[in-house]
Amino acid sequence: MSPAVVIDRVWKFHGDFPALRDISLNVEAGSCLALLGRNGAGKTTLLKILAGLSKPGKGAITILGKDARAPETRSLTGVLGHGIGIYDELSAFENLRLFATLYGVKDPKKTADEWLEKTGLDRVRDGLVREFSRGMRQRLAVARVFLHNPALLLLDEPFTALDDRAIAVLQQLLTAARAEGRTIIMSTHQLREALALATDVALISRGKLAFSGERTQDMLDDPGWLYKNYGE
Amino acid sequence: MSPAVVIDRVWKFHGDFPALRDISLNVEAGSCLALLGRNGAGKTTLLKILAGLSKPGKGAITILGKDARAPETRSLTGVLGHGIGIYDELSAFENLRLFATLYGVKDPKKTADEWLEKTGLDRVRDGLVREFSRGMRQRLAVARVFLHNPALLLLDEPFTALDDRAIAVLQQLLTAARAEGRTIIMSTHQLREALALATDVALISRGKLAFSGERTQDMLDDPGWLYKNYGE
Amino acid sequence: MANRAGFIHQVLTIAGKDLRSELRTKETINASVSFSVVMLLLFSFAVDPGAEEVLQIAAGLLWLVFAFASALVLNRSFARELSNDCLDALLSSPAESAEIYFGKCLTNFVLLLMVELVSIPVFGLFYNVFLPAGWPLLIAVLLLGTWALTAIGTMFSAMTVNLRLRELMLPILVYPMMIPALIAAIRLTTVVLLGEPLGENWIWFKLLIVFDVIFTLLAFALVDVVLVG
Amino acid sequence: MANRAGFIHQVLTIAGKDLRSELRTKETINASVSFSVVMLLLFSFAVDPGAEEVLQIAAGLLWLVFAFASALVLNRSFARELSNDCLDALLSSPAESAEIYFGKCLTNFVLLLMVELVSIPVFGLFYNVFLPAGWPLLIAVLLLGTWALTAIGTMFSAMTVNLRLRELMLPILVYPMMIPALIAAIRLTTVVLLGEPLGENWIWFKLLIVFDVIFTLLAFALVDVVLVG
Amino acid sequence: MRQSLILGLAGLAGSVIIWNLYTMFMNVPDEMNQGAIFRIIYFHVPFAIASFIGFFAGMFCGIGFLVKKNFRLDSIAASFAEVSFAFASVTMITGMIWGRIIWGIWWAWDPRLTSYLVCLLLYAGYFMLRRAIDDPTQRAKLSAVLSIFACLDIVLVWKSIEWFRTQHPGPVLSIRNGGGMAPGMEAPIYWNLLALVLLGTSLVLIRMRQEDTKREIDSLRRYAHGM
Ligand code: HEM
Ligand SMILES: Nc1ncnc2c1ncn2[C@@H]1O[C@H](COP(=O)(O)OP(=O)(O)OP(=O)(O)O)[C@@H](O)[C@H]1O
Ligand SMILES: Nc1ncnc2c1ncn2[C@@H]1O[C@H](COP(=O)(O)OP(=O)(O)OP(=O)(O)O)[C@@H](O)[C@H]1O
Ligand SMILES: [Mg+2]
Ligand SMILES: [Mg+2]
C-alpha cells in the first residue's frame, strides 16, 4: 500500500518563530490518523499546509503523488476546518451545488440532492443556512466535505462544541468513509472520540513530531498515555 | 445554607420563539452546578442572563440577594464566555490591570502581578496577547475571571478546545475555588470533565429544565446516563 | 449607577484602555488621517482651489472630510470589542453601559480631534486658506461639531456592532442624522473664514449646542437598552 | 492553473454565487445607493447647487460619490467570506486564487455599475445636469473608471481579509492608489459634461487604460501570494 | 372582526376620496396662475402631512415596545413606518411632477424639499436596519431606538434647513407663498387628509397582521430546526 500523504522535512515559520519544525511523516492510504498535540503545538498549521491553505517554509508535501497546491490534488481532498465553510445567505442546496460545481463533480444538482438526503437535510433543502441550528449546519458542512467523494479527509477539531448526538452522527459517517477506503487525518483534543476511530496516531509537541505510529491498546485504555510517555 | 442563585420562572424569547421556558432553579452557595443540554438547548442563553448580559423576558433572577444587572452583583460574579474576553492589542499585565480597575479591586497593579504569577504568565507580563498561544490566552482569561475573587463563577464551555494540561490547570483552579466556598455554574458538552467537578447537575432540553439535582454515582459511571433517562 | 466619582473613574479607565491600544497600533488614526488627506486632494481636483469663491465652499468641504473620516474611527470604536467577545467581558463587569458609552465617546472625540488637527493645516495648504482672525470661535465650533459627530456616531456604532453589515449600516444611519449639526458647523465656519460678524448667526451656535445636548442625553438614556440584549 | 475554459467556468461560478447571495438580500446594493444619495445631499450643503459653475465640479462630485460608495461594496466583497471561514473552504477547493479574485472582481464590477446606473439619474435630477451629447464617451469612461476602482479595491479587500497585513497596508495605500484613475475619470467626465472637444484630453483616456491594465495584471500576479499565506 | 374593520375603514376612505375627486374637478375652479395642475396640491399636501403623522405614531409605538416589550407594538411601529414611507414617496413624486410643470425642473434645493429628502433617507436607514437584524427582539429594540433618534432629528433638520437655505433664497419660495387659498379651494385638502388617515390606518392593520405572522413563522422554524 503506497502512502497517501508524504510529509517530508516540513518547516513553517511565522516571522522567525517556527510553528512546525522538521516534520516528516507518511500516512498510508486508507488509514485514519489522529493528530494530537497541546494547544499551539502546530496541528492547525500542519493541516492548513496539507489543505493547501498555506505553503511550507521548507520541505515538501506530496499528496497522492502530487503537490499539495495543485488543483488536481485539491479536488481529491475534503477539508473541514474550525469554521464550517458554508454560506449563511445561500440555501442548503445552493451551498452544496456551489461546491459540487467548484469541485467539478459531474452532475452538481443531482449530487447536491443526494447528499441532502444522506444527511437528512432534504426537508430544509431550500431553507437559508442562516436559519439553521448548529447541528444542521454541522451536518451540511459534513455533506460539503464528502460530496466530491475525496480520497483524503482533513478535519480540524471536528468534535468541538458538538453534543453527544452530533458526535455520534459524525463518527458513523467517518467509520463509513474508512470502510470505503478513504484516508482521514484529524486533529482533536477529545482523545476518546478520536482514538476510537484512529488506526494511527501522531503527536506533535512544540512543532516537532514527538511520536507517530499505530494506535495501541494502551492508548484506548488510558487516553492520557501518549502525553505521559511522549509529551514534554 | 441560603441559595446563592435563585432562578424564578424565567422565560427568554427571541421574537415568539422561547429559548428558555419557565426555568426555576436554586443554586446553593458553595456548590458547583454542571449545566448540560444538547446544542441549542439554551445553556448560553441562561448563562448570559445570569451574567447580566441580557434580560429575561419573564421571571426574575436573584444573585446573592440582589438583581442580576446591579453593579454590586456583577462585581461579585466572574464570567467566562465562549470568547475569552481579553484584548489582543494590550499586554497581559495591562489586560489584568484594566479589569482589576473596572472591578474596583484595591490595588490593581499588585493584584494583576499576583495573578500573572499564579497562572505562570509572569515571564510574558508585557508581551502583547496577540502573540500568545491559545493555551496562554486561556490561562490569562482564567486569571481575568478570578482576580476580583468572585463569589459566583459563570463558565460557558470552559473546556472547549483546551488540551489535557490546560484542562487540568482549569480543573484544579476550580477545585480550589470550590474549597474557598465559591459557587460555580458551568455549561459544557464534555461531560466527564464537568461531572468530575460538579456537585449538582441541571439538564436543559429545548429551553425546558428536564432534570436538576445532586450528581449521582451513575452519572460518573456513564456520562450518557442523564441523556438516556431525561433527554428527549 | 455607581456614584459620581466612580462614574468618571470608570469612564476614564475605559477611554484609557481604548486610547492605549489605539495609539499602540496606530491603525485607525493612520487610516482616517490618510483618508482625509486623500479626500482633500480629490476635492482639490473636483473643485478648482484657485477660484475666488473657494472660501465660500471651503468650510463645507472641510466638514464633509471630517464627517467621512470620522466613519472610520467610529466603526472601529465598538468593533474593537468584538474580537474575543470583549464587549461581554466589559458588560459583565461592574461598568455601566453608560460608562462604556462615554468612555468610547471620549476616545473617539480625542481621535477625531487628532485627525482634524492634522487635516486642517493640510487643508490650509491645498486651498491656501489661512488662520482667520476669529480662530477662537473656530475652535469652539470645532469642539462642538466634533462632539456632535462623536455622540451620535458612538451611539450608532454601539447599535450596529453586532450586525453583519456593520461598516455598511453605520454611515447610512449616521450621516442623515448629523445633517443639522453639519449645517450649523459649516455655516459658522464659513462665517469665521469670511471674517463676517457673527450677528444673527448666533442661532447656529445655539442649534449646535442644542443638538449636542439633546443627542447626548438621548444616547445616555438609551444606550443600556441597546447594549444589554 | 486549470485550462482556459475551466478558468472562466470557475470565475463565473464564484461570481454567480456572490451575486445570488447579494441580490437575495440586496443589502449592499441598497446601502450603497442610499449612501450615494446621502452624499449628494451632503454635497448640496457644501457647494451651492443652484450656482452656475456646478457643471464645473459636477464630475468631481460624481466620482467622489462613486469612490466612496464603492468602498462599501468592496468592503463586503471578501468580508463576506469571513463569517464561517468560507474563504478557506474556497481556497481548499480546486478554484485558483486568481479565479476567486476575478470572480469577486466581476461581482463588484456589476454591483458598482448598478449603483452608478441608479445614482447618475438621481444626480442629474438633483443637480439638473442632463445627458450630454458625448454620452458614448461617458459610458466608456464609466466602464474604465469603474474597473479601476474594482481591480484595486478587490485586491485590497483580499488583503484586509488576511489579518497579518491588515493594519499595516490597507488604509494607507488603497485611497492614494486610486487617485490617478479618479483624476483621469474626473477630467474626462468634465470634458464630456461641458461638451468640450476631447483634443489633448486623450492623454487621460490613455492613462485610464494603462492604469486598468497594469493593476489588473499586478493583481493577477500577486493575488495568490496574498490569499495563500 | 378585524377583517371587517379593515374593509370598513378602506371603504370609507375610498368613498371620501371619490367624493373629493368629484368636488375637486367639478366644483373647484382652476387656480389663476397655475391652471388645472394646481389640483395636485389636494394630494400632495395631505400625503405629506399624513406621512408625518405616521412617522411620529410609529415612534410612539416604538417607545411603547421599549416599555411594554410587547411585539404587537413593534409590528405596528414597523407598519406605520412603511405606510408613511409609501405616503412620503407619493408626496415626493407628486411634488416632483408639480415642480417639473411649474418650475420647469424636477428638483430644487428648497428647504422643504431638502428636509423631506433627509426624512426619507432616515427611514430608508430604518428599513435597512430592520432587514439586517435576524433576532426579532434585537430588531424591535434597535429599530425603536432608531425611530426615536430619527423623529427628534427630523424636527432639528426641518428648522436648520429652513434657516440654512433662506440665507440665499431660490426662485422656489415666491411660488410657495402664493398659498393663501380661498376656503372653498382649501377644504378638499382636509377631506383628503381625513381619507388618507383612514386609508393609512387600514393599511397599518393589514401590515401589522403580516408582521405578526412572519414572527410566528420565524419562531416555528426555529422550533422545528431545534429537533
Ligand atoms: C420633490 C418635490 C416636493 C417635495 C418633496 C415637497 C414636499 C412637501 C411637503 C413635505 C409639504 C408639507 C410641508 C408642511 O406641511 O409643512 C409640502 C407642502 C406643500 N407643497 Fe410641496 N413638495 C414638493 C414640490 C412642490 C411643488 C413643485 C409645489 C408647487 C409649485 C409645492 C407646493 C406645496 C404647497 C403649496 C404645500 C402646502 C403647504 C404649505 O403651503 O406650507 N410642493 N410639500
Ligand atoms: N498567523 C499566525 N501568526 C503568528 N503565529 C501564529 C499564527 N498562527 C499560529 N501561530 C503560532 O503557531 C503555533 C501553532 O499554532 P496552531 O494553531 O497550529 O496550534 P494548534 O495545534 O492548532 O493549537 P490548538 O490546539 O490550540 O488549535 C502557535 O504557537 C501559534 O502561536
Ligand atoms: N440571537 C439569537 N436570535 C435568535 N435565536 C437565538 C439567538 N441566540 C440563540 N438563539 C436560539 O436560542 C436557542 C438557544 O441557544 P443557545 O446558544 O443558548 O444554545 P446552547 O445551549 O448554548 O447551544 P450550544 O451548546 O450549541 O452552545 C437556540 O435554538 C438558538 O437558535
Ligand atoms: Mg488548532
Ligand atoms: Mg452555547
Side-chain angles (χ1 to χ4, degrees), chain C residues 198-221:
Chain C
L198 201 50
E200 85 284 358
N201 287 307
W202 261 116
I203 189 152
W204 294 110
F205 218 86
K206 296 209 200 82
L207 175 68
L208 208 46
I209 294 172
V210 171
F211 188 94
D212 284 359
V213 173
I214 287 185
F215 282 107
T216 309
L217 291 181
L218 206 57
F220 182 82

PDB file of all heavy atoms in Angstrom, chain C residues 198-221:
ATOM      1  N   LEU C 198     -20.557  87.797  13.593  1.00  0.00           N
ATOM      2  CA  LEU C 198     -21.386  86.654  13.976  1.00  0.00           C
ATOM      3  C   LEU C 198     -22.866  87.002  13.825  1.00  0.00           C
ATOM      4  O   LEU C 198     -23.628  86.261  13.218  1.00  0.00           O
ATOM      5  CB  LEU C 198     -21.075  86.255  15.426  1.00  0.00           C
ATOM      6  CG  LEU C 198     -21.458  84.827  15.793  1.00  0.00           C
ATOM      7  CD1 LEU C 198     -20.908  83.860  14.754  1.00  0.00           C
ATOM      8  CD2 LEU C 198     -20.920  84.489  17.166  1.00  0.00           C
ATOM      9  N   GLY C 199     -23.218  88.160  14.374  1.00  0.00           N
ATOM     10  CA  GLY C 199     -24.578  88.690  14.191  1.00  0.00           C
ATOM     11  C   GLY C 199     -25.651  87.643  14.416  1.00  0.00           C
ATOM     12  O   GLY C 199     -25.647  86.926  15.417  1.00  0.00           O
ATOM     13  N   GLU C 200     -26.570  87.526  13.425  1.00  0.00           N
ATOM     14  CA  GLU C 200     -27.716  86.629  13.647  1.00  0.00           C
ATOM     15  C   GLU C 200     -27.295  85.169  13.500  1.00  0.00           C
ATOM     16  O   GLU C 200     -28.088  84.262  13.661  1.00  0.00           O
ATOM     17  CB  GLU C 200     -28.848  86.954  12.656  1.00  0.00           C
ATOM     18  CG  GLU C 200     -28.719  86.286  11.295  1.00  0.00           C
ATOM     19  CD  GLU C 200     -27.671  86.965  10.433  1.00  0.00           C
ATOM     20  OE1 GLU C 200     -27.086  87.987  10.900  1.00  0.00           O
ATOM     21  OE2 GLU C 200     -27.446  86.498   9.312  1.00  0.00           O
ATOM     22  N   ASN C 201     -25.989  84.932  13.206  1.00  0.00           N
ATOM     23  CA  ASN C 201     -25.541  83.547  13.106  1.00  0.00           C
ATOM     24  C   ASN C 201     -25.440  82.863  14.458  1.00  0.00           C
ATOM     25  O   ASN C 201     -25.171  81.673  14.547  1.00  0.00           O
ATOM     26  CB  ASN C 201     -24.172  83.497  12.413  1.00  0.00           C
ATOM     27  CG  ASN C 201     -24.326  83.786  10.934  1.00  0.00           C
ATOM     28  OD1 ASN C 201     -25.121  83.138  10.263  1.00  0.00           O
ATOM     29  ND2 ASN C 201     -23.624  84.802  10.458  1.00  0.00           N
ATOM     30  N   TRP C 202     -25.650  83.657  15.527  1.00  0.00           N
ATOM     31  CA  TRP C 202     -25.694  83.051  16.858  1.00  0.00           C
ATOM     32  C   TRP C 202     -26.640  81.863  16.869  1.00  0.00           C
ATOM     33  O   TRP C 202     -26.407  80.852  17.507  1.00  0.00           O
ATOM     34  CB  TRP C 202     -26.159  84.086  17.889  1.00  0.00           C
ATOM     35  CG  TRP C 202     -25.013  84.676  18.622  1.00  0.00           C
ATOM     36  CD1 TRP C 202     -24.617  85.987  18.602  1.00  0.00           C
ATOM     37  CD2 TRP C 202     -24.080  83.993  19.463  1.00  0.00           C
ATOM     38  NE1 TRP C 202     -23.502  86.158  19.369  1.00  0.00           N
ATOM     39  CE2 TRP C 202     -23.146  84.951  19.915  1.00  0.00           C
ATOM     40  CE3 TRP C 202     -23.940  82.667  19.866  1.00  0.00           C
ATOM     41  CZ2 TRP C 202     -22.091  84.633  20.757  1.00  0.00           C
ATOM     42  CZ3 TRP C 202     -22.895  82.339  20.707  1.00  0.00           C
ATOM     43  CH2 TRP C 202     -21.976  83.310  21.141  1.00  0.00           C
ATOM     44  N   ILE C 203     -27.700  82.002  16.087  1.00  0.00           N
ATOM     45  CA  ILE C 203     -28.726  80.958  16.098  1.00  0.00           C
ATOM     46  C   ILE C 203     -28.096  79.601  15.781  1.00  0.00           C
ATOM     47  O   ILE C 203     -28.435  78.582  16.366  1.00  0.00           O
ATOM     48  CB  ILE C 203     -29.834  81.314  15.094  1.00  0.00           C
ATOM     49  CG1 ILE C 203     -30.982  80.352  15.285  1.00  0.00           C
ATOM     50  CG2 ILE C 203     -29.310  81.263  13.664  1.00  0.00           C
ATOM     51  CD1 ILE C 203     -32.302  80.934  14.906  1.00  0.00           C
ATOM     52  N   TRP C 204     -27.092  79.612  14.888  1.00  0.00           N
ATOM     53  CA  TRP C 204     -26.436  78.337  14.537  1.00  0.00           C
ATOM     54  C   TRP C 204     -25.684  77.788  15.724  1.00  0.00           C
ATOM     55  O   TRP C 204     -25.676  76.590  15.992  1.00  0.00           O
ATOM     56  CB  TRP C 204     -25.486  78.550  13.368  1.00  0.00           C
ATOM     57  CG  TRP C 204     -26.204  78.915  12.116  1.00  0.00           C
ATOM     58  CD1 TRP C 204     -26.196  80.119  11.500  1.00  0.00           C
ATOM     59  CD2 TRP C 204     -27.070  78.078  11.363  1.00  0.00           C
ATOM     60  NE1 TRP C 204     -26.990  80.083  10.392  1.00  0.00           N
ATOM     61  CE2 TRP C 204     -27.541  78.846  10.291  1.00  0.00           C
ATOM     62  CE3 TRP C 204     -27.488  76.765  11.507  1.00  0.00           C
ATOM     63  CZ2 TRP C 204     -28.415  78.330   9.346  1.00  0.00           C
ATOM     64  CZ3 TRP C 204     -28.349  76.250  10.563  1.00  0.00           C
ATOM     65  CH2 TRP C 204     -28.811  77.031   9.497  1.00  0.00           C
ATOM     66  N   PHE C 205     -25.046  78.693  16.427  1.00  0.00           N
ATOM     67  CA  PHE C 205     -24.321  78.279  17.628  1.00  0.00           C
ATOM     68  C   PHE C 205     -25.277  77.592  18.588  1.00  0.00           C
ATOM     69  O   PHE C 205     -25.039  76.483  19.060  1.00  0.00           O
ATOM     70  CB  PHE C 205     -23.694  79.510  18.286  1.00  0.00           C
ATOM     71  CG  PHE C 205     -22.345  79.248  18.845  1.00  0.00           C
ATOM     72  CD1 PHE C 205     -21.226  79.359  18.044  1.00  0.00           C
ATOM     73  CD2 PHE C 205     -22.190  78.848  20.155  1.00  0.00           C
ATOM     74  CE1 PHE C 205     -19.975  79.109  18.549  1.00  0.00           C
ATOM     75  CE2 PHE C 205     -20.945  78.591  20.669  1.00  0.00           C
ATOM     76  CZ  PHE C 205     -19.828  78.724  19.862  1.00  0.00           C
ATOM     77  N   LYS C 206     -26.410  78.260  18.803  1.00  0.00           N
ATOM     78  CA  LYS C 206     -27.415  77.679  19.705  1.00  0.00           C
ATOM     79  C   LYS C 206     -27.820  76.312  19.183  1.00  0.00           C
ATOM     80  O   LYS C 206     -27.811  75.314  19.905  1.00  0.00           O
ATOM     81  CB  LYS C 206     -28.632  78.602  19.784  1.00  0.00           C
ATOM     82  CG  LYS C 206     -28.357  79.960  20.398  1.00  0.00           C
ATOM     83  CD  LYS C 206     -29.600  80.515  21.073  1.00  0.00           C
ATOM     84  CE  LYS C 206     -29.506  82.029  21.261  1.00  0.00           C
ATOM     85  NZ  LYS C 206     -29.888  82.761  20.023  1.00  0.00           N
ATOM     86  N   LEU C 207     -28.132  76.246  17.892  1.00  0.00           N
ATOM     87  CA  LEU C 207     -28.562  74.969  17.309  1.00  0.00           C
ATOM     88  C   LEU C 207     -27.552  73.881  17.631  1.00  0.00           C
ATOM     89  O   LEU C 207     -27.886  72.810  18.128  1.00  0.00           O
ATOM     90  CB  LEU C 207     -28.700  75.105  15.788  1.00  0.00           C
ATOM     91  CG  LEU C 207     -29.041  73.785  15.073  1.00  0.00           C
ATOM     92  CD1 LEU C 207     -30.439  73.322  15.442  1.00  0.00           C
ATOM     93  CD2 LEU C 207     -28.892  73.906  13.581  1.00  0.00           C
ATOM     94  N   LEU C 208     -26.288  74.181  17.385  1.00  0.00           N
ATOM     95  CA  LEU C 208     -25.224  73.197  17.608  1.00  0.00           C
ATOM     96  C   LEU C 208     -25.264  72.710  19.050  1.00  0.00           C
ATOM     97  O   LEU C 208     -25.258  71.510  19.330  1.00  0.00           O
ATOM     98  CB  LEU C 208     -23.881  73.838  17.290  1.00  0.00           C
ATOM     99  CG  LEU C 208     -22.753  72.905  16.824  1.00  0.00           C
ATOM    100  CD1 LEU C 208     -23.253  71.938  15.775  1.00  0.00           C
ATOM    101  CD2 LEU C 208     -21.602  73.731  16.276  1.00  0.00           C
ATOM    102  N   ILE C 209     -25.360  73.654  19.977  1.00  0.00           N
ATOM    103  CA  ILE C 209     -25.377  73.275  21.396  1.00  0.00           C
ATOM    104  C   ILE C 209     -26.601  72.413  21.696  1.00  0.00           C
ATOM    105  O   ILE C 209     -26.498  71.322  22.248  1.00  0.00           O
ATOM    106  CB  ILE C 209     -25.367  74.539  22.282  1.00  0.00           C
ATOM    107  CG1 ILE C 209     -24.029  75.274  22.099  1.00  0.00           C
ATOM    108  CG2 ILE C 209     -25.583  74.171  23.736  1.00  0.00           C
ATOM    109  CD1 ILE C 209     -23.973  76.619  22.778  1.00  0.00           C
ATOM    110  N   VAL C 210     -27.749  72.883  21.243  1.00  0.00           N
ATOM    111  CA  VAL C 210     -28.982  72.111  21.483  1.00  0.00           C
ATOM    112  C   VAL C 210     -28.810  70.689  20.952  1.00  0.00           C
ATOM    113  O   VAL C 210     -29.071  69.702  21.638  1.00  0.00           O
ATOM    114  CB  VAL C 210     -30.182  72.789  20.782  1.00  0.00           C
ATOM    115  CG1 VAL C 210     -31.400  71.889  20.827  1.00  0.00           C
ATOM    116  CG2 VAL C 210     -30.464  74.126  21.436  1.00  0.00           C
ATOM    117  N   PHE C 211     -28.308  70.591  19.725  1.00  0.00           N
ATOM    118  CA  PHE C 211     -28.095  69.283  19.104  1.00  0.00           C
ATOM    119  C   PHE C 211     -27.242  68.408  20.000  1.00  0.00           C
ATOM    120  O   PHE C 211     -27.620  67.291  20.366  1.00  0.00           O
ATOM    121  CB  PHE C 211     -27.406  69.488  17.750  1.00  0.00           C
ATOM    122  CG  PHE C 211     -27.290  68.240  16.922  1.00  0.00           C
ATOM    123  CD1 PHE C 211     -28.250  67.939  15.977  1.00  0.00           C
ATOM    124  CD2 PHE C 211     -26.212  67.396  17.084  1.00  0.00           C
ATOM    125  CE1 PHE C 211     -28.139  66.792  15.213  1.00  0.00           C
ATOM    126  CE2 PHE C 211     -26.093  66.244  16.320  1.00  0.00           C
ATOM    127  CZ  PHE C 211     -27.063  65.949  15.384  1.00  0.00           C
ATOM    128  N   ASP C 212     -26.093  68.949  20.402  1.00  0.00           N
ATOM    129  CA  ASP C 212     -25.192  68.172  21.267  1.00  0.00           C
ATOM    130  C   ASP C 212     -25.924  67.694  22.509  1.00  0.00           C
ATOM    131  O   ASP C 212     -25.932  66.509  22.837  1.00  0.00           O
ATOM    132  CB  ASP C 212     -23.986  69.027  21.670  1.00  0.00           C
ATOM    133  CG  ASP C 212     -22.993  69.147  20.533  1.00  0.00           C
ATOM    134  OD1 ASP C 212     -23.260  68.547  19.475  1.00  0.00           O
ATOM    135  OD2 ASP C 212     -21.983  69.850  20.688  1.00  0.00           O
ATOM    136  N   VAL C 213     -26.576  68.628  23.192  1.00  0.00           N
ATOM    137  CA  VAL C 213     -27.222  68.274  24.466  1.00  0.00           C
ATOM    138  C   VAL C 213     -28.270  67.191  24.244  1.00  0.00           C
ATOM    139  O   VAL C 213     -28.219  66.115  24.836  1.00  0.00           O
ATOM    140  CB  VAL C 213     -27.864  69.522  25.100  1.00  0.00           C
ATOM    141  CG1 VAL C 213     -28.669  69.135  26.319  1.00  0.00           C
ATOM    142  CG2 VAL C 213     -26.786  70.536  25.467  1.00  0.00           C
ATOM    143  N   ILE C 214     -29.195  67.465  23.315  1.00  0.00           N
ATOM    144  CA  ILE C 214     -30.298  66.519  23.108  1.00  0.00           C
ATOM    145  C   ILE C 214     -29.760  65.109  22.866  1.00  0.00           C
ATOM    146  O   ILE C 214     -30.086  64.157  23.579  1.00  0.00           O
ATOM    147  CB  ILE C 214     -31.149  66.947  21.896  1.00  0.00           C
ATOM    148  CG1 ILE C 214     -31.998  68.168  22.252  1.00  0.00           C
ATOM    149  CG2 ILE C 214     -32.053  65.800  21.463  1.00  0.00           C
ATOM    150  CD1 ILE C 214     -32.946  68.570  21.155  1.00  0.00           C
ATOM    151  N   PHE C 215     -28.854  64.974  21.887  1.00  0.00           N
ATOM    152  CA  PHE C 215     -28.471  63.616  21.492  1.00  0.00           C
ATOM    153  C   PHE C 215     -27.563  62.961  22.526  1.00  0.00           C
ATOM    154  O   PHE C 215     -27.593  61.742  22.701  1.00  0.00           O
ATOM    155  CB  PHE C 215     -27.851  63.629  20.104  1.00  0.00           C
ATOM    156  CG  PHE C 215     -28.889  63.734  19.027  1.00  0.00           C
ATOM    157  CD1 PHE C 215     -29.060  64.915  18.316  1.00  0.00           C
ATOM    158  CD2 PHE C 215     -29.738  62.681  18.764  1.00  0.00           C
ATOM    159  CE1 PHE C 215     -30.035  65.022  17.349  1.00  0.00           C
ATOM    160  CE2 PHE C 215     -30.724  62.779  17.805  1.00  0.00           C
ATOM    161  CZ  PHE C 215     -30.870  63.951  17.093  1.00  0.00           C
ATOM    162  N   THR C 216     -26.803  63.763  23.244  1.00  0.00           N
ATOM    163  CA  THR C 216     -26.017  63.154  24.326  1.00  0.00           C
ATOM    164  C   THR C 216     -26.947  62.572  25.370  1.00  0.00           C
ATOM    165  O   THR C 216     -26.816  61.410  25.761  1.00  0.00           O
ATOM    166  CB  THR C 216     -25.111  64.221  24.974  1.00  0.00           C
ATOM    167  OG1 THR C 216     -24.382  64.893  23.952  1.00  0.00           O
ATOM    168  CG2 THR C 216     -24.146  63.575  25.949  1.00  0.00           C
ATOM    169  N   LEU C 217     -27.936  63.354  25.769  1.00  0.00           N
ATOM    170  CA  LEU C 217     -28.888  62.858  26.770  1.00  0.00           C
ATOM    171  C   LEU C 217     -29.608  61.621  26.240  1.00  0.00           C
ATOM    172  O   LEU C 217     -29.725  60.603  26.922  1.00  0.00           O
ATOM    173  CB  LEU C 217     -29.897  63.961  27.122  1.00  0.00           C
ATOM    174  CG  LEU C 217     -29.317  65.137  27.890  1.00  0.00           C
ATOM    175  CD1 LEU C 217     -30.404  66.157  28.210  1.00  0.00           C
ATOM    176  CD2 LEU C 217     -28.650  64.651  29.176  1.00  0.00           C
ATOM    177  N   LEU C 218     -30.068  61.700  24.998  1.00  0.00           N
ATOM    178  CA  LEU C 218     -30.817  60.588  24.416  1.00  0.00           C
ATOM    179  C   LEU C 218     -29.966  59.322  24.449  1.00  0.00           C
ATOM    180  O   LEU C 218     -30.390  58.264  24.924  1.00  0.00           O
ATOM    181  CB  LEU C 218     -31.191  60.930  22.975  1.00  0.00           C
ATOM    182  CG  LEU C 218     -32.429  60.219  22.432  1.00  0.00           C
ATOM    183  CD1 LEU C 218     -33.609  60.525  23.334  1.00  0.00           C
ATOM    184  CD2 LEU C 218     -32.715  60.679  21.023  1.00  0.00           C
ATOM    185  N   ALA C 219     -28.722  59.447  23.992  1.00  0.00           N
ATOM    186  CA  ALA C 219     -27.824  58.292  23.998  1.00  0.00           C
ATOM    187  C   ALA C 219     -27.666  57.782  25.419  1.00  0.00           C
ATOM    188  O   ALA C 219     -27.792  56.590  25.695  1.00  0.00           O
ATOM    189  CB  ALA C 219     -26.469  58.684  23.418  1.00  0.00           C
ATOM    190  N   PHE C 220     -27.419  58.709  26.332  1.00  0.00           N
ATOM    191  CA  PHE C 220     -27.242  58.338  27.734  1.00  0.00           C
ATOM    192  C   PHE C 220     -28.426  57.510  28.221  1.00  0.00           C
ATOM    193  O   PHE C 220     -28.264  56.493  28.888  1.00  0.00           O
ATOM    194  CB  PHE C 220     -27.110  59.614  28.576  1.00  0.00           C
ATOM    195  CG  PHE C 220     -26.885  59.357  30.031  1.00  0.00           C
ATOM    196  CD1 PHE C 220     -25.617  59.079  30.516  1.00  0.00           C
ATOM    197  CD2 PHE C 220     -27.945  59.378  30.911  1.00  0.00           C
ATOM    198  CE1 PHE C 220     -25.410  58.824  31.848  1.00  0.00           C
ATOM    199  CE2 PHE C 220     -27.748  59.132  32.260  1.00  0.00           C
ATOM    200  CZ  PHE C 220     -26.477  58.854  32.727  1.00  0.00           C
ATOM    201  N   ALA C 221     -29.620  57.915  27.798  1.00  0.00           N
ATOM    202  CA  ALA C 221     -30.820  57.233  28.286  1.00  0.00           C
ATOM    203  C   ALA C 221     -30.988  55.863  27.626  1.00  0.00           C
ATOM    204  O   ALA C 221     -31.436  54.909  28.256  1.00  0.00           O
ATOM    205  CB  ALA C 221     -32.045  58.094  28.011  1.00  0.00           C
TER     206      ALA C 221
END
